[in-house]
Amino acid sequence: MQLISDFITKTIEKRLSEIQLKESFLSPEQENVLNRMGFDKTLGVWTKKVLNKLVNSCNIVDLDNKLENNSLIEKLAVATTEEKKYLLLELERKLFPLKILDLELPCYIVPIKPHWAGQLFDPYISGAYLFGADGKKYGIMKTYIIGV
């Protein structure tokens, strides 16, 4: 999942709109990860659209023809109000980092200690100190990630 997240980040940085993965030897678990992260498999090629935008749900079909032949868009046209919420959530997941502004979902903020935040969210800097803090003074232990 971290590698796919890195690919998405690089795609955004380079202002590209699609990732294609041409790998024929994937385990079922790896295919499941690709599915969860918004990839679709067509003719042996895993493809993901990447839209780095903020949109309202009423403007979702006006995204520069990037959503052509998308079955979720077709389902939205005939869905009930409750079904639309789930379809929009699925569309947001498939087109990550796209964010739908008027999708009413609960959001929770859970505070955690900086040491654990580094371990959970950023494997590249988790072995470094924030602002060069003195680890002995503040009880910070330097950790290293070996292998992934």
Side-chain angles (χ1 to χ4, degrees):
M1 288 182 74
Q2 184 63 49
L3 288 173
I4 300 301
S5 294
D6 291 346
F7 289 150
I8 293 170
T9 301
K10 289 202 181 292
T11 303
I12 294 166
E13 288 171 358
K14 294 184 178 190
R15 299 179 190 252
L16 301 173
S17 61
E18 185 175 273
I19 299 172
Q20 289 187 350
L21 180 63
K22 298 176 184 178
E23 177 60 56
S24 53
F25 299 105
L26 293 173
S27 70
E29 292 84 13
Q30 291 167 325
E31 289 184 357
N32 188 27
V33 167
L34 290 173
N35 275 322
R36 285 189 321 211
M37 297 194 79
F39 282 80
D40 291 313
K41 187 176 183 181
T42 307
L43 301 173
V45 177
W46 290 89
T47 305
K48 175 180 176 38
K49 299 281 186 189
V50 178
L51 296 177
N52 191 20
K53 297 182 181 226
L54 298 170
V55 297
N56 286 315
S57 59
C58 58
N59 299 332
I60 205 83
V61 292
D62 301 328
L63 291 174
D64 305 323
N65 299 323
K66 293 182 194 286
L67 304 177
E68 290 178 3
N69 302 321
N70 193 312
S71 62
L72 290 174
I73 297 295
E74 294 168 6
K75 290 178 185 176
L76 273 172
V78 295
T80 65
T81 305
E82 192 62 26
E83 290 171 338
K84 282 184 181 181
K85 184 195 297 189
Y86 292 107
L87 289 170
L88 288 170
L89 179 61
E90 178 66 17
L91 189 63
E92 188 180 73
R93 184 188 64 79
K94 298 258 314 151
L95 298 174
F96 175 81
L98 173 80
K99 290 293 175 204
I100 300 172
L101 295 172
D102 55 345
L103 185 57
E104 296 179 17
L105 295 173
C107 179
Y108 303 99
I109 298 173
V110 180
I112 60 175
K113 293 184 177 187
H115 170 76
W116 299 115
Q119 295 291 319
L120 288 172
F121 302 115
D122 197 339
Y124 301 112
I125 65 168
S126 64
Y129 300 127
L130 185 62
F131 306 119
D134 181 0
K136 293 176 186 172
K137 181 177 180 183
Y138 297 105
I140 300 170
M141 294 177 57
K142 188 164 182 163
T143 57
Y144 298 95
I145 296 178
I146 301 172
V148 177

